[in-house]
């Protein structure tokens, strides 16, 4: 109904369908995030006959990790929608079509993003706190530090002198903590650099994907605030450079979401369930390499088709433009020329 039924149902019912789709996806995301948060910080379970069995759903659902990561993911989805709407409005303005509708799209998208990006940054900080408290090895990889130092002086020149391939965590100071503050990370049984190599996560991916995610966030913040200010001043239509930047910004939230998940999941390695079940031990016993490869190929083929169809459908919608008019022509504009002359 949402995709194909707009002209077949009453407007209020179509609006209701959009709300139901949004609610359904939110509930789906909620349970997915509960599952993933349990894999990141397992709580409320017992092991029976080698199986993980939930014994306290209250701990699992109301885990503090869930209530920092789920809003973080939800806000990312809303920001993606906001920037796609704003980018569509910018595209229409640049093409000189649907002037009234494009103005509404720009204001709605940019105003929403201007409010949500700072809130997203706050929840991102809360997610970082949980990583620091519960996953110190991932935190060390993201920070690019492995030794207790004061000051933290490792840098790119020293990264070349250590073996990333051997998973030696080293590198840059991310700036998330004061450069002259002693690194507080500790592990059971010794310093971070004393952690066995087999328990260390890969470094390169979480280190750089974290910075790409944060960089996208600050670019979106700048575009949202500057664009909102120019919308308030009714000057955004005259700033073609900013319109181009807003139009080209629509991939940023997608990139930020993907790099955020890369940071979370690659940084969790070598654990499937952090600290409890290794990835190497969680392979299905009867799964062969051929079966895994075949299922991966089928999975990628199906989703590639869905993705291509979705892109084509959205492009057709954008080319067609909004249905109806926001500003109706005056009665004089609709009148016959003779009637206009008679009234004059």
């Amino acid at each position: 109904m949402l995709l194909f039924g707009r002209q077949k149902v009453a407007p209020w019912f179509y609006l209701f369908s959009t709300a139901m789709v949004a609610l359904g996806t939110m509930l789906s995301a909620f349970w997915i995030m509960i599952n993933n948060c349990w894999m990141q910080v397992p709580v409320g379970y017992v092991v029976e006959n080698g199986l993980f069995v939930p014994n306290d759903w209250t701990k699992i659902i109301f885990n503090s990790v869930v209530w920092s990561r789920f809003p973080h993911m939800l806000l990312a989805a809303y920001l993606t929608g906001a920037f796609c709407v704003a980018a569509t409005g910018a595209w229409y303005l640049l093409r000189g079509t649907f002037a009234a509708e494009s103005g509404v799209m720009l204001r709605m998208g940019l105003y929403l993003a201007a409010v949500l990006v700072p809130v997203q940054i706050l929840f991102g900080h809360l997610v970082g706190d949980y990583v620091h408290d519960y996953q110190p090895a991932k935190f060390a990889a993201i920070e690019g530090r492995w030794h207790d130092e004061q000051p933290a002086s490792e840098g790119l020149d020293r990264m070349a002198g250590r073996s990333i391939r051997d998973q030696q965590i080293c590198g840059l100071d991310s700036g998330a903590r004061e450069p002259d503050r002693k690194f507080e990370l500790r592990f059971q049984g010794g310093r971070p650099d004393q952690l066995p190599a087999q328990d260390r996560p890969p470094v390169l991916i979480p280190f750089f994907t974290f910075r790409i995610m944060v960089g996208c966030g600050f670019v979106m913040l700048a575009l949202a605030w500057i664009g909102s200010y120019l919308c308030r001043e009714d000057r955004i239509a005259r700033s073609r450079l900013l319109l181009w930047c807003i139009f080209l910004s629509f991939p940023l939230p997608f990139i930020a979401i993907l790099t955020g998940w890369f940071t979370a999941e690659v940084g969790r390695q070598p654990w499937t369930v952090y600290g409890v079940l290794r990835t190497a031990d969680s392979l299905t016993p009867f799964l062969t390499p051929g079966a895994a490869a075949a299922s991966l190929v089928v999975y990628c083929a199906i989703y590639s088709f869905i993705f291509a169809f979705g892109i084509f459908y959205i492009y057709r919608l954008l080319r067609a433009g909004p249905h109806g008019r926001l500003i109706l022509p005056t009665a004089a504009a609709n009148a016959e020329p003779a009637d206009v002359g008679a009234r004059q």
Side-chain angles (χ1 to χ4, degrees):
M1 187 176 298
L2 176 67
L3 294 178
F4 304 108
R6 186 170 185 175
Q7 306 303 317
K8 304 180 186 300
V9 296
W12 70 267
F13 200 74
Y14 180 77
L15 179 63
F16 176 75
S17 73
T18 65
M20 290 300 99
V21 171
L23 178 62
T25 53
M26 285 173 56
L27 290 173
S28 174
F30 177 67
W31 289 109
I32 290 171
M33 290 305 300
I34 285 179
N35 178 68
N36 187 266
C37 289
W38 183 86
M39 296 168 72
Q40 301 282 351
V41 182
V43 294
Y45 73 97
V46 295
V47 178
E48 295 181 358
N49 299 321
L51 301 176
F52 297 105
V53 179
N55 69 343
D56 192 336
W57 280 102
T58 302
K59 288 184 179 179
I60 295 173
I61 295 175
F62 294 100
N63 187 350
S64 61
V65 176
V66 174
W67 295 102
S68 60
R69 296 187 72 224
F70 173 61
H72 192 55
M73 185 65 243
L74 199 61
L75 288 167
Y78 285 137
L79 282 171
T80 303
F83 269 89
C84 286
V85 170
T88 303
W91 185 53
Y92 286 147
L93 271 182
L94 289 167
R95 298 176 68 231
T97 57
F98 306 109
E101 290 84 353
S102 61
V104 173
M105 292 178 186
L106 272 173
R107 287 193 297 272
M108 289 180 63
L110 292 175
Y111 288 171
L112 181 61
V115 173
L116 292 187
V117 174
V119 180
Q120 177 72 314
I121 292 173
L122 171 62
F123 275 98
H125 173 74
L126 297 177
V127 172
D129 284 344
Y130 109 76
V131 173
H132 177 269
D133 294 340
Y134 294 103
Q135 298 180 327
K138 181 194 293 187
F139 192 87
I142 292 172
E143 285 284 293
R145 290 192 249 171
W146 198 243
H147 299 282
D148 291 340
E149 288 189 357
Q150 188 175 0
S153 59
E154 293 179 314
L156 274 176
D157 55 336
R158 296 184 62 186
M159 182 179 286
R162 293 176 180 263
S163 175
I164 293 293
R165 288 171 297 180
D166 293 335
Q167 297 181 324
Q168 296 296 319
I169 296 186
C170 58
L172 300 170
D173 174 15
S174 72
R177 296 181 174 271
E178 297 84 357
D180 60 345
R181 181 177 178 181
K182 189 173 183 179
F183 194 43
E184 298 177 342
L185 204 56
R186 293 293 185 275
F187 292 90
Q188 292 181 353
R191 302 193 317 267
D193 57 335
Q194 294 177 336
L195 191 70
Q198 66 270 19
D199 292 340
R200 301 177 188 176
V203 181
L204 210 57
I205 292 177
F207 181 85
F208 284 107
T209 54
F210 173 79
R211 281 150 183 79
I212 294 171
M213 175 188 66
V214 173
C216 289
F218 281 108
V219 172
M220 289 188 288
L221 179 65
L223 289 174
W225 281 7
I226 295 172
S228 296
Y229 172 76
L230 292 181
C231 282
R232 292 279 297 175
E233 298 292 319
D234 202 23
R235 289 162 36 198
I236 193 167
R238 299 194 294 272
S239 179
R240 292 188 65 83
L241 176 61
L242 182 62
L243 288 176
W244 273 108
C245 291
I246 294 172
F247 168 61
L248 296 174
S249 71
F250 74 89
L252 290 179
F254 294 99
I255 295 171
I257 289 174
L258 290 173
T259 52
W261 275 106
F262 278 130
T263 303
E265 299 308 302
V266 177
R268 184 182 67 195
Q269 299 305 314
W271 304 100
T272 297
V273 181
Y274 197 84
V276 178
L277 179 65
R278 289 182 177 275
T279 303
D281 298 329
S282 58
L283 179 69
T284 304
F286 55 83
L287 184 65
T288 64
S295 65
L296 180 61
V297 169
V298 172
Y299 180 88
C300 291
I302 293 173
Y303 271 83
S304 296
F305 172 77
I306 295 173
F307 183 78
F309 176 80
I311 291 294
F312 174 74
Y313 180 76
I314 292 171
Y315 176 74
R316 290 287 299 271
L317 288 179
L318 295 179
R319 291 287 297 182
H323 291 282
R325 296 180 178 178
L326 290 178
I327 300 177
L328 297 176
T330 62
N334 287 329
E336 294 293 332
D339 296 336
V340 175
R343 284 198 298 270
Q344 290 176 345

